[in-house]
């Protein structure tokens, strides 16, 4: 079937957006649209310019017989800025305060457009880090992990607090909760990770970092490496944080339970991005 150029541009754009980080050969597109490679190259130049102008991402070209083009997600700083500021205002609502200084986040983590935008912002930080897997802790961080994974085109593994018969044999470790100082357990199926995986840890909330530190220790058991750590909200530390190198979008700076007062600010995302 012969495509008109307008049809080709739309379909090619859609294909690239659905396959981020995947190297696609010009031959594949040429055969897909029954078009010359020179025409495909011209189309890709138009898409590349549009992506960069609109802050959608970039197209990386790999030369040679085994080369092709690869879509890398990104986001304009002003767009990320406005979104994070808006989210700060939403989270600062006193009705969100829960006992122990935690925040009610279920509605935010259940909103597709919000989670999708958070996923895009986080993914843009790690799009060139060769991430092979996203790891998160059950259960609230799962939607966030899948949003990031969608933009990086990688699988998700979920760490749990107890064994599930459907996951087969597992690796189990004990870790110390950073906030409560209690010893807890986390498990992961042996089939979840390939040795040497480059893993991005994603979570919704980090208080003292005990859970995330436990996931880092769990990765050691699989001989995997940590590509990065990203959280939606971090709590400003009143005690020593167990995690040093991480990215946060929002920082919970002060909670006064008696007055139902919540102060939030931007996290270190923009600092880390620089």
């Amino acid at each position: 079937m012969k495509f008109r150029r307008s049809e080709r541009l739309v379909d090619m754009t859609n294909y690239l957006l659905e396959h981020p980080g995947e190297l696609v050969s010009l031959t594949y597109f040429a055969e897909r649209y029954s078009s010359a490679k020179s025409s495909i190259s011209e189309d890709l130049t138009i898409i590349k310019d549009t992506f960069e102008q609109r802050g959608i991402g970039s197209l990386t070209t790999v030369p040679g017989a085994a080369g092709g083009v690869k879509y890398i997600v990104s986001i304009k700083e002003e767009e990320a800025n406005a979104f994070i500021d808006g989210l700060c205002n939403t989270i600062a609502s006193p009705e969100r305060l829960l006992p122990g200084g935690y925040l009610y986040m279920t509605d935010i983590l259940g909103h597709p457009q919000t989670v999708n935008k958070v996923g895009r912002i986080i993914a843009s930080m790690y799009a060139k880090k060769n991430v092979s897997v996203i790891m998160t802790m059950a259960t609230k961080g799962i939607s966030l992990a899948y949003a990031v994974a969608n933009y990086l085109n990688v699988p998700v593994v979920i760490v749990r607090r107890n064994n599930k018969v459907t996951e087969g044999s597992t690796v189990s470790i004990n870790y110390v909760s950073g906030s409560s100082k209690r010893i807890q357990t986390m498990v992961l199926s042996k089939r979840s990770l390939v040795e040497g995986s480059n893993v991005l840890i994603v979570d919704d909330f980090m208080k003292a970092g005990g859970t995330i530190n436990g996931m880092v220790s769990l990765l050691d058991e699989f001989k995997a490496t940590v590509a990065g750590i990203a959280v939606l909200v971090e709590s400003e530390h009143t005690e020593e944080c167990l995690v040093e190198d991480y990215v946060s979008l929002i920082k919970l700076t002060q909670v006064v339970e008696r007055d139902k007062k919540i102060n939030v600010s931007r996290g270190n995302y923009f600092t880390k991005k620089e």
Side-chain angles (χ1 to χ4, degrees):
M1 176 181 176
K2 186 71 175 179
F3 282 73
R4 293 196 300 269
R5 188 173 199 181
S6 58
E7 295 173 329
R8 200 168 62 220
L9 282 168
V10 171
D11 190 73
M12 195 182 302
T13 299
N14 183 64
Y15 186 91
L16 291 167
L17 291 174
E18 288 186 341
H19 298 81
E22 182 178 309
L23 186 63
V24 187
S25 69
L26 266 62
T27 300
Y28 173 81
F29 280 140
E31 293 176 351
R32 182 181 176 94
Y33 306 118
S34 301
S35 301
K37 288 185 180 180
S38 57
S39 299
I40 298 298
S41 294
E42 292 174 2
D43 293 346
L44 289 171
T45 298
I46 294 172
I47 295 171
K48 180 179 185 294
D49 291 343
T50 304
F51 276 13
E52 291 176 353
Q53 289 171 9
R54 302 295 298 174
I56 297 170
S58 61
L59 293 186
T60 301
T61 302
V62 179
V69 65
K70 184 186 296 185
Y71 164 58
I72 306 296
V73 66
S74 68
I75 188 168
K76 283 187 175 181
E77 184 171 333
E78 54 266 34
E79 183 180 353
N81 208 338
F83 174 78
I84 291 174
D85 284 346
L87 203 51
C88 283
N89 291 332
T90 299
I91 291 174
S93 172
E95 288 75 20
R96 293 191 174 275
L97 189 58
L98 300 172
Y102 290 94
L103 302 179
Y104 178 75
M105 300 282 291
T106 303
D107 59 333
I108 293 174
L109 295 171
H111 193 282
Q113 290 183 334
T114 299
V115 172
N116 190 53
K117 185 61 71 70
V118 172
R120 183 178 165 197
I121 292 173
I122 292 175
S124 69
M125 284 286 294
Y126 299 96
K128 298 181 180 180
K129 299 286 187 181
N130 295 318
V131 174
S132 54
V133 176
I134 305 296
M135 172 183 275
T136 193
M137 189 78 187
T139 56
K140 289 186 178 179
I142 293 177
S143 61
L144 200 57
Y146 274 103
V148 178
N150 183 57
Y151 282 106
L152 296 181
N153 198 14
V154 297
V156 174
V157 298
I158 302 170
V159 180
R160 304 186 185 278
R161 300 194 185 278
N162 46 52
N163 292 325
K164 282 188 174 290
V165 67
T166 54
E167 296 193 344
S169 58
T170 60
V171 174
S172 172
I173 68 162
N174 294 326
Y175 70 99
V176 179
S177 170
S179 54
S180 66
K181 303 299 182 184
R182 293 169 53 192
I183 296 178
Q184 300 188 39
T185 302
M186 61 173 60
V187 299
L188 183 64
S189 170
K190 286 184 177 180
R191 302 186 186 190
S192 295
L193 279 179
V194 176
E195 185 175 317
S197 294
N198 199 30
V199 183
L200 172 61
I201 297 174
V202 174
D203 213 349
D204 62 314
F205 190 90
M206 181 177 75
K207 200 165 187 181
T211 300
I212 289 177
N213 195 46
M215 284 192 276
V216 172
S217 298
L218 188 57
L219 288 177
D220 288 339
E221 298 295 321
F222 285 84
K223 297 181 181 179
T225 57
V226 179
I229 298 168
V231 297
L232 174 56
V233 180
E234 66 162 311
S235 177
E236 191 166 60
H237 315 301
T238 56
E239 53 186 310
E240 182 182 2
C241 181
L242 300 176
V243 180
E244 294 182 358
D245 190 11
Y246 62 90
V247 171
S248 66
L249 270 57
I250 295 170
K251 177 182 284 188
L252 180 62
T253 56
Q254 184 186 41
V255 174
V256 182
E257 291 189 60
R258 181 185 59 189
D259 299 331
K260 288 193 173 182
K261 183 179 180 181
I262 302 173
N263 288 335
V264 295
S265 64
R266 295 180 190 173
N268 64 11
Y269 167 77
F270 293 103
T271 304
K272 290 285 187 178
K273 194 172 183 180
E274 294 172 359

